[in-house]
Amino acid sequence: MPAAAIVLAAYLLGSLPFAVVISRAFGLADPRSFGSGNPGATNVLRSGNKLAALLTLLGDAAKGWIAVAAAAAWAPETIAWVAVAVFCGHVFSVFLRFRGGKGVATAAGVLLGLSPWLGLITIATWLAVAAATRYSSLAALCATLAAATGGALLLGRSDAIAAVWLISALVLWRHKANVANLLAGRESRIGQKR
């Protein structure tokens, strides 16, 4: 399979909007219509349905991991491109008119595929900050910084490190409104409806 086709397949996999699909399956409102308007697990949690939020989280993470694991097994020369493509599919979903989620769960899946240790360190950072502060966005920002630092230390391939840095930069960029809300004291906490 040509490299371009593999990368395109990763992008399309990343574009699958689990938040929207699972919300519809559960009879919930479209997650883009309330809260932050973001089609992601944290916003689905604002609907009050924890199972739907968990399934969204798992689906978004799984697509990142599946794409990278498949590339590692069958086309390792494309792994960095696939990592970025599946992440960008989530953030710029073709099925949502290129308006997707913030990419935190998908990035976690990508990191687990690139290096289980890097993925676990990043997830542990998110969990620790989220437990201490109850701010999903702050946890995501801290986990992103841990991923960028850990990627430089744990990944042996320069293209994979560059992919992690690009993904980290995009996660930070997607959270710019959250940073403003955190600084202004207006950011919602995990599970808080707004």
Side-chain angles (χ1 to χ4, degrees):
M1 192 176 200
I6 294 169
V7 172
L8 177 60
Y11 170 78
L12 292 173
L13 176 61
S15 288
L16 294 174
F18 281 102
V20 175
V21 171
I22 289 170
S23 292
R24 284 183 186 163
F26 277 75
L28 305 172
D30 188 315
R32 296 169 294 171
S33 68
F34 61 87
S36 66
N38 180 56
T42 301
N43 208 38
V44 173
L45 184 60
R46 290 188 178 105
S47 72
N49 193 311
K50 292 179 182 177
L51 179 58
L54 176 63
L55 292 174
T56 299
L57 177 72
L58 294 175
D60 285 345
K63 64 188 179 185
W65 180 82
I66 288 168
V68 172
W74 296 313
E77 70 281 3
T78 67
I79 197 166
W81 288 102
V82 164
V84 172
V86 71
F87 174 81
C88 285
H90 180 81
V91 175
F92 307 107
S93 172
V94 68
F95 303 120
L96 301 179
R97 298 180 183 176
F98 303 103
R99 295 180 182 176
K102 293 182 180 173
V104 176
T106 303
V110 166
L111 295 173
L112 285 167
L114 289 172
S115 163
W117 281 113
L118 179 58
L120 291 172
I121 288 167
T122 304
I123 292 168
T125 301
W126 190 96
L127 289 170
V129 176
T133 68
R134 305 283 299 160
Y135 286 117
S136 176
S137 56
L138 182 59
L141 295 169
C142 293
T144 300
L145 295 175
T149 304
L153 298 173
L154 296 173
L155 298 174
R157 296 175 51 163
S158 59
D159 60 343
I161 294 170
V164 170
W165 286 355
L166 178 56
I167 289 168
S168 297
L170 287 168
V171 170
L172 294 174
W173 173 72
R174 291 287 289 145
H175 281 81
K176 61 186 183 297
N178 300 94
V179 171
N181 286 338
L182 283 165
L183 293 173
R186 295 191 306 262
E187 185 72 350
S188 296
R189 294 181 187 267
I190 294 172
Q192 179 181 347
K193 293 186 179 181
R194 63 173 180 173

